[in-house]
Amino acid sequence: MVSANKEMVVYCFDALVAHYNSEEAPPPAFDAGQHPLFVTWKKELNGGEPRLRGCIGTLEAHCLINGLRDYALTSALRDRRFPPIQAKELPYLECTVSLLTDYEAANHYLDWEVGKHGIIIEFNDPDYNTRRSATYLPEVAANEGWQKIEAIDSLIRKAGYNGPIICKSFHHHSVPPYKIKIYRLSLSPYGGATARRRRVDREKMEAEEGDGGVRLGDAVYGVCG
């Protein structure tokens, strides 16, 4: 089984730095494989706890080399909740690679553990007669201090359902969530001794790009948090 490792996180930084320098990222130092994956960027502010700056991934298995490169950029530049990450933020960034493994169908909508399992929920929207789905990575419910039902209700809202949630009917008629285990590793900062040192143009580090500049191709993705 493939586990997230330092080289994968370094490769995500390499891909982002290469983007700012308009060049190709150097070859990765890990073997190719296929996994569903998420790339998360956080930024340290004033010595406090790092705060989320972007997190996007896919629930479909992707080639790790292409997938990590693509989602490193997508999560940094196209997470609609945040402005695109700018080059000058690099010294303050933390990156986490999450590889999703061991999908297991739950027997019941409460058959999972907060902080241990990620969850995916699918259900029919009774108002629009359409299928909806959403996912949370394992740390989301724990970080928010949610109990299981609170997490499921939030996930239903995240999927885009705005109608009333009646626990005894809605929950029991939705498909039980899948439980996910995750192999992950964080690295911060990129300029540390454990990462390859690559120089970003000082002009680009100091430049203010109001619209983030780069536009990536459309992709189907899931968003964490």
Side-chain angles (χ1 to χ4, degrees):
M1 179 181 296
V2 177
S3 297
N5 56 51
K6 178 184 70 179
E7 287 74 20
M8 293 178 185
V9 183
V10 170
Y11 184 58
C12 291
F13 273 107
D14 280 345
L16 188 57
V17 172
H19 162 76
Y20 294 132
N21 286 332
S22 301
E23 61 186 21
E24 292 293 323
F30 56 87
D31 295 330
Q34 293 208 358
H35 265 291
L37 58 92
F38 278 77
V39 177
T40 303
W41 297 101
K42 293 184 177 181
K43 180 181 178 181
E44 181 179 322
L45 295 174
N46 301 320
E49 286 294 317
R51 302 187 65 177
L52 187 65
R53 277 294 276 115
C55 180
I56 293 179
T58 174
L59 299 175
E60 297 182 0
H62 275 58
C63 168
L64 288 178
I65 294 174
N66 294 336
L68 289 174
R69 179 196 64 212
D70 293 346
Y71 283 100
L73 295 179
T74 303
S75 60
L77 305 172
R78 294 198 65 190
D79 189 326
R80 297 185 182 96
R81 299 170 295 177
F82 307 100
I85 292 175
Q86 299 181 38
K88 66 181 181 181
E89 297 179 73
L90 273 170
Y92 312 102
L93 292 180
E94 172 186 302
C95 181
T96 299
V97 167
S98 302
L99 302 185
L100 282 60
T101 65
D102 298 341
Y103 284 73
E104 177 186 352
N107 296 317
H108 185 265
Y109 72 96
L110 297 179
D111 179 27
W112 56 282
E113 295 183 36
V114 173
K116 178 180 179 181
H117 296 113
I119 52 173
I120 307 168
I121 189 170
E122 296 180 335
F123 61 93
N124 289 317
D125 186 328
D127 296 334
Y128 294 93
N129 194 29
T130 187
R131 197 74 171 161
R132 295 191 182 276
S133 64
T135 185
Y136 278 145
L137 296 181
E139 72 272 16
V140 174
N143 289 347
E144 295 294 334
W146 291 333
Q147 300 297 317
K148 293 179 182 179
I149 290 180
E150 292 175 303
I152 293 290
D153 288 354
S154 175
L155 202 54
I156 290 169
R157 296 302 187 202
K158 181 182 176 183
Y161 177 71
N162 296 315
I165 300 174
I166 304 173
C167 294
K168 289 186 178 180
S169 59
F170 196 98
H171 286 153
H172 286 281
H173 284 87
S174 63
V175 173
Y178 282 81
K179 298 183 288 188
I180 312 166
K181 291 182 181 178
I182 287 182
Y183 287 87
R184 68 193 326 164
L185 184 140
S186 299
L187 180 65
S188 175
Y190 178 64
T194 57
R196 286 190 293 264
R197 296 178 182 271
R198 294 173 54 79
R199 181 175 180 80
V200 177
D201 241 326
R202 182 169 298 277
E203 292 182 0
K204 293 182 179 179
M205 288 286 287
E206 296 174 350
E208 292 283 343
E209 294 292 342
D211 62 357
V214 175
R215 294 285 182 260
L216 302 179
D218 290 335
V220 177
Y221 56 86
V223 180
C224 72

